[in-house]
Amino acid sequence: MNRLFWKIFLWFLFTVLATGGLSFLAADYLAGQQSVSERHLQRIEAMATAAEMIAEEHGMPGLYTWLRHVQRRVHYPLLVVRRSPSDGWRNLDGLPVPPEVAAHMNMPASREGVAQSRQARHRVVSVPLKHIDGLYLVTVFGQRPLWARPQYRHLPLVIALAVSVVVCLLIAWSIARPVRRLRHAAGELADGNLAARADVGRRGDEIGRLAGDFNRMADRIEQGMRAQRQLLSDVSHELRSPLARLRVASELARRKATDDTIASELSRIDLEVGRLDTMLGDVLTLARLESNGNEVALAPCDIDALLDEVVADANFEYRGEGRRATVTKRAGCSVMADAPLLRSAIDNVVRNAMKYTVADSCVEAATRVEGKRLCLTVQDRGPGVPEAALPHLFDAFYRVDEARDRDSGGYGLGLAIAARACRLFGGGVHAENGAEGGLVVTMSFPLHSGVAGERSSS
């Protein structure tokens, strides 16, 4: 569980325990300060008068019988006590009285009339029998509760702790659980899952309203992203037709041109039209991946064969510039992917390396197995990129250097297409500056289970 859960739980537990403990102490203190009500005092005086009458008419045996009869009718101890010169206060049975009664009767004020005092968590009330010298009717209020007995003195703490733990666990769980779900949904949305929503149930509190606001925000983001992708796709598709007509018109104009200057300008127009057409093709590919990427059919692909084809094409294209590419190591494994899309991703990474590697240098590509994944590494001999730019290299239309990328014909789409393709195949891609200079791009994919099993058994 996360830190928020335990923080809430511990604070609630401390609050409940502190409140319960203080309430217990306050109640105990106030209970001890209360006096016996006037109604009870009048009742005790009436019983004392009745005891005097019984004693005068029937003597001590009658008083003893009456006392036992009355004791069964009241819910508090009722005693008739007398003082023995030799061994202190005794009841009618001749037994010593309880300590709280003895302490009360030893007070001078208790023998002068109706008196009450607090003794050992009890209220003791005494009334002298006026016509029988030396006898007192004594009652004891506030019988010790169960937990006041020595064997049960920890019972309140155990009960309070058990109830507090259960209640605080429920409260902390009810708060931390929806927050955890909201955090998970936010992480999914940040990772590109536009369908992620926070499901916290039907809550009307602040957390429920926060989840509702998050879901509305996610809806707006999803709608905006879908509209943006659709716009890019529609605009790119519509622009290809006029570009094709422009290329035809340029070719017709070149055939009619008689001046070499005009022919040179038309060639420049053809070059820019070609670049624009390539960019629109990349935009269409990226939009298709973003919109329908989950519908890509996966099949076992020989990644080494695709890498050899891409390297051969790159060497042919850059043969006049003194740049070349080579494969230094082959893993001999297959991955589950869409072959044309995987080839396009590898081609974009290799071509990006060929663009920025220095003249008369070699771009090195290799595949290797790390655990249950296959890694394809492409390293150039260029100047590398600033560390701050590394996390953004795979964002669409991102450029490290506007002037350099414009001169090289790049539009910041090739690496974005490669990254999206890797994610569709269950893999990933990251870039770092090499220890000896240049940029190192690593693409990783899950190994095809059938091939992995064959390799492990051979």
Side-chain angles (χ1 to χ4, degrees):
M1 296 185 181
N2 52 29
R3 294 177 59 189
L4 177 62
F5 175 90
W6 289 113
K7 185 181 295 184
I8 296 173
F9 167 74
L10 292 176
W11 273 112
F12 272 99
L13 181 62
F14 172 79
T15 302
V16 171
L17 290 178
T19 303
L22 292 176
S23 300
F24 184 85
L25 294 176
D28 182 73
Y29 174 79
L30 293 176
Q33 300 303 314
Q34 292 179 351
S35 300
V36 179
S37 65
E38 188 65 28
R39 182 173 64 86
H40 281 87
L41 290 178
Q42 293 175 356
R43 185 178 182 185
I44 294 169
E45 288 185 89
M47 286 191 294
T49 302
E52 290 178 357
M53 296 173 59
I54 294 296
E56 290 176 353
E57 293 179 5
H58 303 284
M60 287 301 169
L63 179 60
Y64 184 82
T65 303
W66 173 85
L67 184 62
R68 292 182 62 186
H69 175 73
V70 174
Q71 183 65 69
R72 290 194 295 266
R73 295 168 50 191
V74 298
H75 61 277
Y76 45 83
L78 187 64
L79 305 172
V80 174
V81 302
R82 65 175 64 186
R83 184 177 180 85
S84 174
S86 60
D87 49 5
W89 294 92
R90 300 273 176 165
N91 60 19
L92 290 181
D93 293 326
L95 300 175
V97 298
E100 56 268 19
V101 175
H104 171 79
M105 295 306 300
N106 287 328
M107 298 171 59
S110 64
R111 299 188 292 275
E112 298 176 359
V114 179
Q116 59 174 308
S117 67
R118 184 178 185 229
Q119 301 292 336
R121 300 175 60 87
H122 300 281
R123 279 288 170 181
V124 182
V125 179
S126 62
V127 180
L129 302 184
K130 300 178 182 178
H131 301 292
I132 305 176
D133 189 28
L135 290 182
Y136 298 84
L137 181 68
V138 179
T139 59
V140 181
F141 294 94
Q143 183 70 23
R144 284 190 178 186
L146 181 65
W147 54 79
R149 302 175 186 177
Q151 62 269 35
Y152 298 111
R153 62 180 180 274
H154 299 303
L155 185 60
L157 179 60
V158 173
I159 295 176
L161 182 61
V163 173
S164 300
V165 168
V166 172
V167 173
C168 291
L169 278 173
L170 292 176
I171 294 175
W173 178 81
S174 67
I175 295 176
R177 182 169 178 262
V179 172
R180 189 164 55 249
R181 288 187 173 184
L182 183 60
R183 178 178 176 272
H184 177 73
E188 289 286 322
L189 186 64
D191 290 338
N193 181 13
L194 299 181
R197 297 294 184 272
D199 181 14
V200 298
R202 303 180 62 181
R203 300 177 63 107
D205 54 10
E206 288 77 7
I207 295 179
R209 290 193 289 270
L210 176 61
D213 293 339
F214 173 84
N215 290 337
R216 286 192 294 273
M217 177 191 70
D219 289 338
R220 295 292 299 272
I221 292 175
E222 183 179 16
Q223 294 172 4
M225 292 298 294
R226 290 187 183 279
Q228 180 188 29
R229 292 168 183 170
Q230 187 62 40
L231 177 63
L232 283 174
S233 179
D234 293 343
V235 170
S236 301
H237 186 271
E238 293 298 326
L239 284 177
R240 303 200 83 173
S241 295
L243 282 177
R245 292 193 293 270
L246 182 59
R247 181 170 290 178
V248 172
S250 175
E251 180 63 26
L252 292 175
R254 181 183 291 102
R255 293 179 181 180
K256 297 178 181 180
T258 57
D259 191 347
D260 291 341
T261 303
I262 296 177
S264 175
E265 296 297 332
L266 291 174
S267 298
R268 180 64 180 181
I269 292 175
D270 287 341
L271 177 62
E272 296 300 332
V273 169
R275 289 180 174 177
L276 187 56
D277 187 63
T278 301
M279 182 192 70
L280 293 177
D282 290 342
V283 171
L284 285 172
T285 301
L286 184 61
R288 184 169 61 254
L289 290 176
E290 295 288 350
S291 301
N292 305 313
N294 295 331
E295 300 177 4
V296 174
L298 304 182
C301 297
D302 186 349
I303 195 170
D304 290 322
L306 294 177
L307 179 59
D308 288 337
E309 293 178 8
V310 170
V311 167
D313 292 344
N315 286 331
F316 179 79
E317 181 178 350
Y318 288 89
R319 63 187 184 279
E321 301 181 17
R323 303 172 185 176
R324 60 189 180 88
T326 183
V327 180
T328 60
K329 184 179 180 180
R330 295 174 176 82
C333 296
S334 297
V335 297
M336 293 297 294
D338 176 80
L341 188 55
L342 178 58
R343 188 187 190 284
S344 176
I346 299 174
D347 184 70
N348 281 320
V349 174
V350 172
R351 287 180 180 273
N352 182 79
M354 295 292 283
K355 288 177 183 177
Y356 299 115
T357 194
V358 297
D360 298 323
S361 65
C362 179
V363 172
E364 296 180 355
T367 59
R368 66 182 186 278
V369 176
E370 292 185 356
K372 296 183 179 181
R373 303 182 73 83
L374 186 142
C375 297
L376 189 155
T377 303
V378 178
Q379 180 174 7
D380 62 42
R381 300 300 176 184
V385 298
E387 292 293 330
L390 289 175
H392 306 287
L393 286 180
F394 304 98
D395 296 341
F397 298 104
Y398 178 79
R399 294 178 176 180
V400 178
D401 188 329
E402 289 285 339
R404 183 186 69 177
D405 288 346
R406 189 182 301 112
D407 291 340
S408 65
Y411 296 94
L413 291 174
L415 293 182
I417 293 174
R420 181 56 180 161
C422 289
R423 288 195 294 268
L424 287 179
F425 305 149
V429 60
H430 74 276
E432 60 184 353
N433 289 312
E436 300 177 358
L439 183 68
V440 181
V441 177
T442 302
M443 308 165 68
S444 64
F445 311 91
L447 280 173
H448 180 216
S449 57
V451 175
E454 294 174 4
R455 285 176 55 84
S456 61
S457 63
S458 58

